Amino acid sequence: MKITIGSRGSQLALWQANWVKGRLAAAGYDLEIKIIKTTGDKLANIPLTQSGTKGLFIKEIEEALVAQEVDLAVHSLKDLPTEQPAGLTVAAVPEREDARDVLISRDGRRFSELPPGAHLGTSSLRRQSQLRRLRNDLEILPMRGNLDTRLKKLERGDCDAVVVAAAGVHRLEFKSRIAEYFAPDQLCSAVGQGALAIEIRCGDEKMQEAVAPLDHPATHRAVLAERAMLRHLGGGCQVP
């Protein structure tokens, strides 16, 4: 059976899609990856809080899934709005990577070692609000872009350090760049951070059967609880 996977085209998104592809290929399936450009990719220079759109990084992929242009979609689960479109479901959530946030600095300094006024790059309101609580003497710079883009901005001197998710850094094998891991009581991670979501059409029994072995029940239960909390609070990109 031929399976088409829908994915964004970033380095990290393709790593994730290829991870799923590799496991399904090992089970005997024939697969291809279809790269789909999302609204979030097209609005790369606009702060997330000003976009006015939910599901910035998954909307077009879900539309392709509904239209049967792809058979399944692979997302970073934290990008998935808590309210899914009718007819779609998260069929599997593989075992979670490290859910923490990390600091990557140009000179390897830890968070406490950054000088007053240092420029710290992050586009996340969640991170910004917590970082200001920890140190209000730093300059927080809004910074969009894929992980590889942010690291390039750091290298060329756009900022002194960036705060990003550990999971993506680990997956792209940039672990040696990490200056410090933030403890959960310093920076509370995003809902679903570190986990992948494998999304399919409701009622597609063949796809459900194909991806079922990739599901990690403990991770799936945990992210269901986190997403229920976020839905109840009305959280999202507009709320820290």
Side-chain angles (χ1 to χ4, degrees), residues 42-57:
K42 297 169 188 173
L43 302 177
N45 296 318
I46 298 175
L48 295 176
T49 53
Q50 296 177 16
S51 67
T53 304
K54 285 188 177 182
L56 276 176
F57 298 106

Side-chain angles (χ1 to χ4, degrees), residues 4-26:
T4 301
I5 300 173
S7 171
R8 295 173 61 206
S10 73
Q11 190 178 353
L12 180 57
L14 288 175
W15 185 99
Q16 294 170 172
N18 277 298
W19 184 90
V20 173
K21 178 183 177 182
R23 274 143 189 79
L24 292 178

